[in-house]
């Protein structure tokens, strides 16, 4: 799946602001990536980049329901 | 990944369940199939790499392919294997009478810190990711239904997410996103009311 440029830019900015440089994220069998490597994968439009975008979009999309679940479950 | 399956095996052994581990060089098709045929386990837990049709074993060789789905007949299966539930799980249930097949629809995501050298289970930032996932098999071992086990994992995910949302721990938002993504991908095919009897 190809994401458009605006989505890619949004995800790259969010990765820069929320992902520390001293962690690595492993995405299934693709391997481990730090923040800068993930940004590079997003720019290249690879499967890893797409998985990183899907993670970020899931987070944005689910924020409302997360808040609701948290308040319901105390 | 293997390290985080140890708490599941410990929970089983604590309950007197006989655990048959297949690890390292023994994770090959011949070994897995013969053990399943011989020991007839009621519950199978696969932990490793894969895709929608395949579980890869030692040296990235196919350990269980979609044409082997018949080995899951009358069993409850939990797979911490990327995408496996999509096709392998669906086929096992729909064509080969697998009781229930639980797994992840997407790539399983983990986060670890790199500023210190730590063994997998010593890395506290990744602990909640694995514990949320382990809630499924540990619940089944404790006697819940498949639906209840999956629901327990969702609840544990919500609990960890609510904690991480306001946490100042290293990488907390990245860990939160990993839990959220994994949780969204957690699905099962088959009988939700099934329980693991031993």
């Amino acid at each position: 799946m190809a994401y458009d440029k605006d989505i890619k830019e949004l995800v790259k900015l969010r990765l820069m602001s929320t992902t520390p440089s001293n962690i690595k994220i492993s995405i299934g069998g693709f391997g481990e990536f730090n923040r800068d490597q993930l940004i590079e994968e997003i720019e290249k439009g690879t499967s890893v980049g797409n998985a990183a975008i899907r993670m970020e979009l899931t987070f944005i999309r689910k924020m409302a329901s997360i808040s609701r679940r948290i308040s319901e479950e105390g | 990944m293997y390290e985080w399956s140890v708490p599941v095996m410990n929970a089983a052994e604590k309950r007197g369940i006989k655990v048959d581990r297949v690890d390292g060089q023994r994770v090959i098709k011949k070994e897995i199939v013969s053990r399943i045929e011989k020991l007839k386990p009621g519950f199978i837990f696969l932990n490793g790499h894969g895709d929608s049709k395949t579980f890869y074993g030692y040296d990235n060789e196919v350990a269980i392919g979609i044409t082997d789905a018949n080995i899951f007949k009358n069993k409850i299966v939990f797979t911490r294997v990327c995408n496996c539930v999509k096709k392998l799980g669906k086929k096992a249930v729909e064509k080969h009478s697998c009781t229930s097949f639980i797994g992840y629809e997407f790539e399983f995501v983990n986060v670890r810190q790199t500023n210190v050298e730590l063994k997998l289970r010593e890395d506290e930032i990744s602990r909640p990711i694995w514990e949320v996932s382990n809630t499924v098999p540990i619940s089944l071992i404790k006697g819940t239904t498949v639906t209840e086990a999956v629901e327990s994992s969702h609840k544990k995910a919500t609990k960890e997410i609510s904690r991480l949302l306001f946490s100042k721990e290293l990488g907390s938002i990245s860990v939160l996103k990993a839990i959220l993504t994994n949780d969204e991908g957690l699905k099962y095919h088959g009988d939700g009311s099934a329980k693991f009897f031993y």
Side-chain angles (χ1 to χ4, degrees), chain B residues 168-187:
Chain B
K168 290 190 173 10
E169 289 168 24
L170 175 71
S172 55
I173 294 299
S174 301
V175 174
L176 186 162
K177 288 177 201 168
I179 291 173
L180 193 60
T181 304
N182 295 339
D183 186 56
E184 189 174 65
L186 180 63
K187 298 283 184 297

mmCIF file of all heavy atoms in Angstrom, chain B residues 168-187:
data_model
loop_
_atom_site.group_PDB
_atom_site.id
_atom_site.type_symbol
_atom_site.label_atom_id
_atom_site.label_comp_id
_atom_site.label_asym_id
_atom_site.label_seq_id
_atom_site.Cartn_x
_atom_site.Cartn_y
_atom_site.Cartn_z
ATOM 1 N N LYS B 168 6.713 8.603 32.254
ATOM 2 C CA LYS B 168 7.903 9.300 31.774
ATOM 3 C C LYS B 168 9.038 8.309 31.501
ATOM 4 O O LYS B 168 10.186 8.687 31.302
ATOM 5 C CB LYS B 168 8.350 10.341 32.806
ATOM 6 C CG LYS B 168 7.391 11.521 32.895
ATOM 7 C CD LYS B 168 7.995 12.612 33.738
ATOM 8 C CE LYS B 168 7.228 13.919 33.792
ATOM 9 N NZ LYS B 168 5.911 13.991 33.259
ATOM 10 N N GLU B 169 8.702 7.013 31.500
ATOM 11 C CA GLU B 169 9.705 5.972 31.233
ATOM 12 C C GLU B 169 10.254 6.130 29.816
ATOM 13 O O GLU B 169 9.541 6.580 28.913
ATOM 14 C CB GLU B 169 9.059 4.579 31.317
ATOM 15 C CG GLU B 169 8.685 4.145 32.706
ATOM 16 C CD GLU B 169 7.785 2.903 32.701
ATOM 17 O OE1 GLU B 169 7.809 2.130 31.722
ATOM 18 O OE2 GLU B 169 7.049 2.744 33.686
ATOM 19 N N LEU B 170 11.483 5.677 29.649
ATOM 20 C CA LEU B 170 12.112 5.718 28.326
ATOM 21 C C LEU B 170 11.236 5.004 27.285
ATOM 22 O O LEU B 170 10.810 3.873 27.494
ATOM 23 C CB LEU B 170 13.485 5.029 28.388
ATOM 24 C CG LEU B 170 14.226 4.873 27.050
ATOM 25 C CD1 LEU B 170 14.725 6.218 26.548
ATOM 26 C CD2 LEU B 170 15.373 3.873 27.193
ATOM 27 N N GLY B 171 10.961 5.682 26.200
ATOM 28 C CA GLY B 171 10.249 5.063 25.078
ATOM 29 C C GLY B 171 8.810 4.681 25.360
ATOM 30 O O GLY B 171 8.246 3.847 24.644
ATOM 31 N N SER B 172 8.200 5.300 26.384
ATOM 32 C CA SER B 172 6.862 4.849 26.793
ATOM 33 C C SER B 172 5.829 4.960 25.670
ATOM 34 O O SER B 172 4.989 4.077 25.511
ATOM 35 C CB SER B 172 6.386 5.616 28.034
ATOM 36 O OG SER B 172 6.429 7.001 27.785
ATOM 37 N N ILE B 173 5.905 6.013 24.874
ATOM 38 C CA ILE B 173 4.915 6.164 23.792
ATOM 39 C C ILE B 173 5.160 5.113 22.696
ATOM 40 O O ILE B 173 4.221 4.568 22.126
ATOM 41 C CB ILE B 173 4.925 7.604 23.221
ATOM 42 C CG1 ILE B 173 4.450 8.594 24.289
ATOM 43 C CG2 ILE B 173 4.042 7.722 21.969
ATOM 44 C CD1 ILE B 173 3.026 8.385 24.803
ATOM 45 N N SER B 174 6.429 4.794 22.452
ATOM 46 C CA SER B 174 6.727 3.743 21.464
ATOM 47 C C SER B 174 6.223 2.388 21.955
ATOM 48 O O SER B 174 5.677 1.597 21.167
ATOM 49 C CB SER B 174 8.232 3.659 21.208
ATOM 50 O OG SER B 174 8.711 4.894 20.739
ATOM 51 N N VAL B 175 6.406 2.119 23.242
ATOM 52 C CA VAL B 175 5.916 0.860 23.810
ATOM 53 C C VAL B 175 4.390 0.819 23.731
ATOM 54 O O VAL B 175 3.791 -0.196 23.353
ATOM 55 C CB VAL B 175 6.411 0.687 25.273
ATOM 56 C CG1 VAL B 175 5.787 -0.545 25.921
ATOM 57 C CG2 VAL B 175 7.931 0.585 25.306
ATOM 58 N N LEU B 176 3.780 1.950 24.059
ATOM 59 C CA LEU B 176 2.318 2.049 23.977
ATOM 60 C C LEU B 176 1.831 1.723 22.556
ATOM 61 O O LEU B 176 0.887 0.956 22.362
ATOM 62 C CB LEU B 176 1.907 3.471 24.374
ATOM 63 C CG LEU B 176 0.426 3.832 24.514
ATOM 64 C CD1 LEU B 176 0.288 5.120 25.327
ATOM 65 C CD2 LEU B 176 -0.288 4.008 23.197
ATOM 66 N N LYS B 177 2.491 2.295 21.560
ATOM 67 C CA LYS B 177 2.084 2.053 20.163
ATOM 68 C C LYS B 177 2.262 0.576 19.794
ATOM 69 O O LYS B 177 1.458 0.024 19.057
ATOM 70 C CB LYS B 177 2.919 2.918 19.208
ATOM 71 C CG LYS B 177 2.575 4.387 19.242
ATOM 72 C CD LYS B 177 3.524 5.122 18.309
ATOM 73 C CE LYS B 177 3.612 6.585 18.657
ATOM 74 N NZ LYS B 177 4.727 7.251 17.973
ATOM 75 N N ALA B 178 3.338 -0.032 20.291
ATOM 76 C CA ALA B 178 3.570 -1.458 20.008
ATOM 77 C C ALA B 178 2.440 -2.290 20.606
ATOM 78 O O ALA B 178 1.885 -3.172 19.933
ATOM 79 C CB ALA B 178 4.920 -1.892 20.580
ATOM 80 N N ILE B 179 2.088 -2.004 21.860
ATOM 81 C CA ILE B 179 1.005 -2.758 22.514
ATOM 82 C C ILE B 179 -0.304 -2.567 21.751
ATOM 83 O O ILE B 179 -1.040 -3.518 21.484
ATOM 84 C CB ILE B 179 0.848 -2.319 23.995
ATOM 85 C CG1 ILE B 179 2.071 -2.778 24.798
ATOM 86 C CG2 ILE B 179 -0.444 -2.872 24.598
ATOM 87 C CD1 ILE B 179 2.117 -2.265 26.226
ATOM 88 N N LEU B 180 -0.573 -1.336 21.380
ATOM 89 C CA LEU B 180 -1.809 -1.017 20.662
ATOM 90 C C LEU B 180 -1.880 -1.740 19.313
ATOM 91 O O LEU B 180 -2.918 -2.323 18.959
ATOM 92 C CB LEU B 180 -1.860 0.501 20.444
ATOM 93 C CG LEU B 180 -3.170 1.112 19.995
ATOM 94 C CD1 LEU B 180 -4.269 0.840 21.003
ATOM 95 C CD2 LEU B 180 -3.000 2.621 19.819
ATOM 96 N N THR B 181 -0.776 -1.726 18.589
ATOM 97 C CA THR B 181 -0.744 -2.385 17.268
ATOM 98 C C THR B 181 -0.903 -3.897 17.416
ATOM 99 O O THR B 181 -1.676 -4.519 16.689
ATOM 100 C CB THR B 181 0.593 -2.072 16.554
ATOM 101 O OG1 THR B 181 0.730 -0.668 16.479
ATOM 102 C CG2 THR B 181 0.630 -2.638 15.155
ATOM 103 N N ASN B 182 -0.163 -4.472 18.368
ATOM 104 C CA ASN B 182 -0.279 -5.923 18.584
ATOM 105 C C ASN B 182 -1.702 -6.279 19.018
ATOM 106 O O ASN B 182 -2.286 -7.255 18.542
ATOM 107 C CB ASN B 182 0.722 -6.399 19.643
ATOM 108 C CG ASN B 182 2.168 -6.232 19.191
ATOM 109 O OD1 ASN B 182 2.445 -6.145 17.999
ATOM 110 N ND2 ASN B 182 3.089 -6.177 20.140
ATOM 111 N N ASP B 183 -2.233 -5.463 19.917
ATOM 112 C CA ASP B 183 -3.577 -5.732 20.450
ATOM 113 C C ASP B 183 -4.627 -5.676 19.342
ATOM 114 O O ASP B 183 -5.540 -6.492 19.304
ATOM 115 C CB ASP B 183 -3.905 -4.706 21.541
ATOM 116 C CG ASP B 183 -5.215 -5.006 22.254
ATOM 117 O OD1 ASP B 183 -5.342 -6.130 22.779
ATOM 118 O OD2 ASP B 183 -6.100 -4.143 22.284
ATOM 119 N N GLU B 184 -4.472 -4.735 18.454
ATOM 120 C CA GLU B 184 -5.434 -4.623 17.352
ATOM 121 C C GLU B 184 -5.352 -5.839 16.419
ATOM 122 O O GLU B 184 -6.347 -6.234 15.810
ATOM 123 C CB GLU B 184 -5.198 -3.349 16.537
ATOM 124 C CG GLU B 184 -6.333 -3.131 15.538
ATOM 125 C CD GLU B 184 -6.249 -1.820 14.790
ATOM 126 O OE1 GLU B 184 -5.307 -1.627 14.012
ATOM 127 O OE2 GLU B 184 -7.149 -1.002 14.982
ATOM 128 N N GLY B 185 -4.170 -6.415 16.315
ATOM 129 C CA GLY B 185 -3.990 -7.562 15.426
ATOM 130 C C GLY B 185 -4.324 -8.906 16.043
ATOM 131 O O GLY B 185 -4.305 -9.926 15.361
ATOM 132 N N LEU B 186 -4.616 -8.922 17.357
ATOM 133 C CA LEU B 186 -4.893 -10.195 18.041
ATOM 134 C C LEU B 186 -6.293 -10.706 17.664
ATOM 135 O O LEU B 186 -7.293 -10.054 17.958
ATOM 136 C CB LEU B 186 -4.790 -10.007 19.561
ATOM 137 C CG LEU B 186 -5.045 -11.238 20.422
ATOM 138 C CD1 LEU B 186 -4.010 -12.326 20.162
ATOM 139 C CD2 LEU B 186 -5.049 -10.865 21.909
ATOM 140 N N LYS B 187 -6.329 -11.857 17.010
ATOM 141 C CA LYS B 187 -7.603 -12.414 16.516
ATOM 142 C C LYS B 187 -7.623 -13.926 16.725
ATOM 143 O O LYS B 187 -6.581 -14.528 16.966
ATOM 144 C CB LYS B 187 -7.721 -12.154 14.997
ATOM 145 C CG LYS B 187 -7.741 -10.684 14.592
ATOM 146 C CD LYS B 187 -9.082 -10.037 14.859
ATOM 147 C CE LYS B 187 -9.221 -8.616 14.417
ATOM 148 N NZ LYS B 187 -8.459 -7.580 14.932
#
